[in-house]
Amino acid sequence: NAGVTQTPKFRVLKTGQSMTLLCAQDMNHEYMYWYRQDPGMGLRLIHYSVGEGTTAKGEVPDGYNVSRLKKQNFLLGLESAAPSQTSVYFCASKTVTGLAVNYNEQFFGPGTRLTVL
Amino acid sequence: ILNVEQSPQSLHVQEGDSTNFTCSFPSSNFYALHWYRWETAKSPEALFVMTLNGDEKKKGRISATLNTKEGYSYLYIKGSQPEDSATYLCALATGGTSYGKLTFGQGTILTVHP
């Protein structure tokens, strides 16, 4: 199993450009998440999805859109990138079955390092 | 809003030193506390899931304790090695949401010098 994978690993954008980050998981997990990691601020939740075809806003959703057309994929879009979106983006997934489901253990991808000039 | 605080923000130690850092939280109303280890360009890796007051977990040279009454968890590394260099994240799993929320601390960046 590959677990959670993310593409691309690195990207540099100019202000105003758009891009899509792809997250894929092969664990048949129901829930998927997009976070951003900034120095000194921990991981902050951007958007999440509790199932195919459903998405919802997290703590810092402005400037981002998401889609979950297939259970295994969760896409994060930046329509018009801004320097404030320079960050490391992590995708994660979680199952909703099992004895430890309340522990909310999430499995992470390796991250996408995005720089917006 | 639940604030999860980690200290120190960064730490430099020499190879062979033992070290520890802290995750603090204001409430005992959570299901679990997670410790993750994150090396740059790799996936954050789950180290421990802690669920009970007095819980202790150990994996090799790394161990963790949880004190829910006083609101903290310690992560200990015995005999630090350069490969222990990473960012260590703690996160609380709280109820009250429909999406399996984890609230993260800001992380402790550990650098172990040879």
Side-chain angles (χ1 to χ4, degrees):
Chain A
N1 286 350
V4 180
T5 58
Q6 292 182 231
T7 54
K9 288 185 170 56
F10 304 94
R11 186 73 185 266
V12 178
L13 291 178
K14 295 181 180 178
T15 297
Q17 287 185 314
S18 63
M19 77 164 295
T20 301
L21 283 68
L22 171 64
C23 175
Q25 51 95 5
D26 61 2
M27 298 175 284
N28 202 34
H29 284 175
E30 291 79 4
Y31 289 13
M32 296 186 75
Y33 309 84
W34 276 108
Y35 292 90
R36 58 179 290 173
Q37 162 75 22
D38 301 295
M41 300 193 73
L43 271 72
R44 292 182 292 166
L45 183 65
I46 304 171
H47 286 278
Y48 64 94
S49 168
V50 299
E52 181 178 322
T54 70
T55 63
K57 295 179 180 180
E59 303 166 42
V60 288
D62 294 343
Y64 305 95
N65 56 75
V66 288
S67 64
R68 188 142 178 230
L69 299 179
K70 295 182 179 181
K71 186 177 183 180
Q72 63 268 35
N73 294 339
F74 195 26
L75 278 63
L76 178 71
L78 285 74
E79 289 186 351
S80 180
S84 61
Q85 294 177 303
T86 294
S87 188
V88 180
Y89 291 87
F90 286 104
C91 176
S93 70
K94 168 181 139 61
T95 183
V96 296
T97 59
L99 295 175
V101 64
N102 282 339
Y103 298 164
N104 294 346
E105 183 173 8
Q106 295 178 15
F107 295 83
F108 286 84
T112 294
R113 190 173 295 274
L114 176 67
T115 301
V116 183
L117 303 176
Chain B
I1 296 177
L2 179 63
N3 285 326
V4 179
E5 296 287 336
Q6 289 187 246
S7 62
Q9 191 168 355
S10 65
L11 194 54
H12 291 258
V13 301
Q14 291 297 125
E15 182 175 356
D17 288 349
S18 294
T19 187
N20 67 85
F21 25 92
T22 307
C23 175
S24 303
F25 42 89
S27 168
S28 62
N29 187 23
F30 59 91
Y31 292 107
L33 183 146
H34 298 262
W35 280 101
Y36 285 91
R37 178 176 180 275
W38 173 43
E39 287 182 72
T40 303
K42 294 184 179 179
S43 304
E45 169 196 6
L47 287 174
F48 304 115
V49 181
M50 313 191 73
T51 59
L52 300 172
N53 186 48
D55 201 0
E56 293 189 30
K57 294 285 173 69
K58 186 174 182 181
K59 185 185 293 187
R61 295 180 290 100
I62 304 177
S63 59
T65 61
L66 176 63
N67 186 324
T68 57
K69 293 178 182 177
E70 298 189 21
Y72 64 84
S73 175
Y74 287 151
L75 190 78
Y76 300 90
I77 302 178
K78 183 178 179 181
S80 303
Q81 299 297 309
E83 56 264 31
D84 295 328
S85 298
T87 298
Y88 291 84
L89 299 165
C90 75
L92 290 189
T94 56
T97 70
S98 61
Y99 61 89
K101 181 181 175 71
L102 282 180
T103 302
F104 283 86
Q106 68 270 52
T108 292
I109 303 170
L110 174 66
T111 304
V112 182
H113 299 280

